[in-house]
Amino acid sequence: MNGDYQILAFCCQYCAYAAADLAGGLRLQYPPQVKIIQIPCTGKMDVLYALQAFEEGADAVMVAGCLPGDCHFLEGNYNAVRRVERVKHILQAIGLQPERIKMFHISSSMASRFVSAVEEMCSIVKELGPNPLRIDPKVVSEEKGDESE
Amino acid sequence: MIIAEQKPFEEIKRSIAPAHKVLVVGCGTCVTVCFAGGAREAAILAASLRMAFKLNGDPKEITEVTVQRQCEWEYLDAVAEQVGKAEVVLSLGCGVGVQAIAERFPRTWVVPGLNTSFLGMPAEQGVWVERCAACGDCILGLTAGICPIARCSKSLLNGPCGGSQDGHCEVNADIPCGWQLIYDRLKALGKVEMLYEIRPPKNWRASRDGGPRKIVRPDLRLIEEE
Ligand code: SF4
Ligand code: SF4
């Protein structure tokens, strides 16, 4: 698989988004395939956002919130953990690998942790291959057929 | 309110599999509040189904719409056009909503996406509990506002049974004994002597006896519908 893939990162403005900013400020390199979406808190993360991302062809989704206990809205990041879990169940049910979504806890000073989280998601995508929803459905069913043979 | 939960995804998938155009119809009342079938759940289910069928190599046109109340003609009429275009309607209303769609749209094939579970309330966030069995002859005034029909596992009218243990029901230790709750509350309110009163048998004719129930209020009828 070449570099043609997309990872969406839903980042809390108080922590992971600031960490990404800091990574930029520190000139840390991270894979350009990640698209960062700033949200006011990971508690704003909706199951539907993730599903829409996958339906539109995103290869992976990362949700990055504050460290446990550090949420500016007290428990938004804990709520996000549960929603990410629910998305994993839905992905499993529909036939996509649940590993395609992951929750991270990254404080605003953890620029290198942000970089390693993005790299981790990239290696997951490289291992799993592209999101099959981006591919012609007929091709997918043939591929599936091949697998079962 | 009516408490329901979504059917297993595979069952829902099977029920709509033969159709190509599917309309998911959510309901904006009870099932929205219990997170089973409101606008958001309808959107999540529709997206999940679209992806699942596409991954199976059988992409379908699955759209969703949510009406304020699926159990009233007026709200259903507002989506008649969308319903008319669908080969199957997947209702995320309670059983009443599904049947209202079936009755209002005689040519429409409708399947349920929910299992309608009980009449109850949210006890804590994410936890719903049964409170009433719609028996048609309410006796809460005799039982300290705690329903023995819905909250005693055996619907006893003279409980507790011999299986009541330290406040727990013998059917399952996680269930508080309904009759213990009644007794405790009567005692706390200084009304425990109410239990000594001999009462006539409960009127079960108002319950499931005699077929489907109906209430008619002449004062509310429309002249032209009489
Ligand atoms: S006594 Fe009957 S009507 Fe009253 S709460 Fe219990 S089941 Fe419902
Ligand atoms: S233990 Fe209590 S709730 Fe359970 S069946 Fe007996 S009386 Fe009813």
Side-chain angles (χ1 to χ4, degrees), chain A residues 46-48 50-52 54-55 86 90-91 93-96 131-138 140-141 144, chain B residues 6 9-10 13 35 39-41 43-59 64:
Chain A
D46 196 306
V47 169
L48 207 47
L51 293 184
Q52 280 163 347
F54 287 117
E55 193 175 8
R86 182 167 176 210
I90 293 174
L91 293 184
I94 67 179
L96 272 183
N131 174 354
L133 287 162
R134 256 197 293 139
I135 305 171
D136 181 351
K138 280 195 231 81
V140 176
S141 69
K144 280 199 161 179
Chain B
Q6 234 170 67
F9 189 70
E10 277 306 310
K13 249 180 92 184
F35 294 86
R40 169 160 307 160
E41 297 306 320
I44 290 173
L45 183 62
S48 307
L49 288 167
R50 277 194 301 272
M51 287 191 270
F53 281 107
K54 191 172 173 194
L55 287 167
N56 286 347
D58 173 27
E64 89 264 357

Side-chain angles (χ1 to χ4, degrees), chain B residues 28-100:
Chain B
T29 310
C30 305
V31 295
T32 291
V33 192
C34 64
F35 294 86
R40 169 160 307 160
E41 297 306 320
I44 290 173
L45 183 62
S48 307
L49 288 167
R50 277 194 301 272
M51 287 191 270
F53 281 107
K54 191 172 173 194
L55 287 167
N56 286 347
D58 173 27
K60 294 187 191 300
E61 211 178 290
I62 302 175
T63 51
E64 89 264 357
V65 64
T66 296
V67 296
Q68 183 56 43
R69 266 196 291 288
Q70 233 177 77
C71 55
E72 286 194 51
W73 306 138
E74 290 83 343
Y75 295 112
L76 286 181
D77 288 346
V79 294
E81 206 183 312
Q82 280 151 287
V83 169
K85 286 182 188 150
E87 289 161 42
V88 60
V89 167
L90 172 61
S91 163
L92 285 190
C94 71
V96 185
V98 179
Q99 294 180 64

Side-chain angles (χ1 to χ4, degrees), chain A:
Chain A
M1 176 177 179
N2 56 26
D4 177 26
Y5 56 94
Q6 270 207 13
I7 294 167
L8 287 194
F10 291 90
C11 295
C12 160
Q13 64 178 359
Y14 289 103
C15 52
Y17 188 84
D21 226 14
L22 183 59
L26 293 172
R27 300 279 186 272
L28 298 179
Q29 294 290 319
Y30 59 85
Q33 287 85 356
V34 65
K35 301 279 179 296
I36 298 172
I37 297 171
Q38 183 187 25
I39 50 177
C41 169
T42 46
K44 179 75 184 82
M45 186 63 203
D46 196 306
V47 169
L48 207 47
Y49 296 167
L51 293 184
Q52 280 163 347
F54 287 117
E55 193 175 8
E56 295 295 326
D59 296 293
V61 170
M62 54 183 283
V63 181
C66 300
L67 299 179
D70 277 356
C71 173
H72 279 64
F73 302 98
L74 304 179
E75 44 196 44
N77 51 353
Y78 294 124
N79 293 336
V81 168
R82 295 186 185 146
R83 289 180 203 143
V84 166
E85 258 328 286
R86 182 167 176 210
V87 175
K88 281 180 180 289
H89 282 121
I90 293 174
L91 293 184
Q92 181 91 53
I94 67 179
L96 272 183
Q97 299 93 338
E99 295 81 13
R100 288 187 188 271
I101 186 166
K102 189 165 176 176
M103 174 88 197
F104 295 90
H105 298 279
I106 302 170
S107 81
S108 57
S109 60
M110 295 164 79
S112 55
R113 175 69 188 110
F114 177 81
V115 172
S116 68
V118 172
E119 284 168 350
E120 185 182 338
M121 288 316 285
C122 288
S123 60
I124 288 175
V125 170
K126 281 180 194 151
E127 195 175 309
L128 299 178
N131 174 354
L133 287 162
R134 256 197 293 139
I135 305 171
D136 181 351
K138 280 195 231 81
V139 180
V140 176
S141 69
E142 278 161 22
E143 275 179 5
K144 280 199 161 179
D146 291 347
E147 272 170 26
S148 60
E149 274 162 20

Side-chain angles (χ1 to χ4, degrees), chain B residues 148 151-156 158-165 167-172 175-181:
Chain B
R151 298 174 70 181
C152 163
S153 303
K154 299 172 189 167
S155 297
L156 296 179
N158 295 289
C161 71
S164 180
Q165 292 280 325
H168 305 286
C169 172
E170 69 168 343
V171 165
N172 181 335
I175 303 172
C177 167
W179 272 102
Q180 183 73 51
L181 295 174

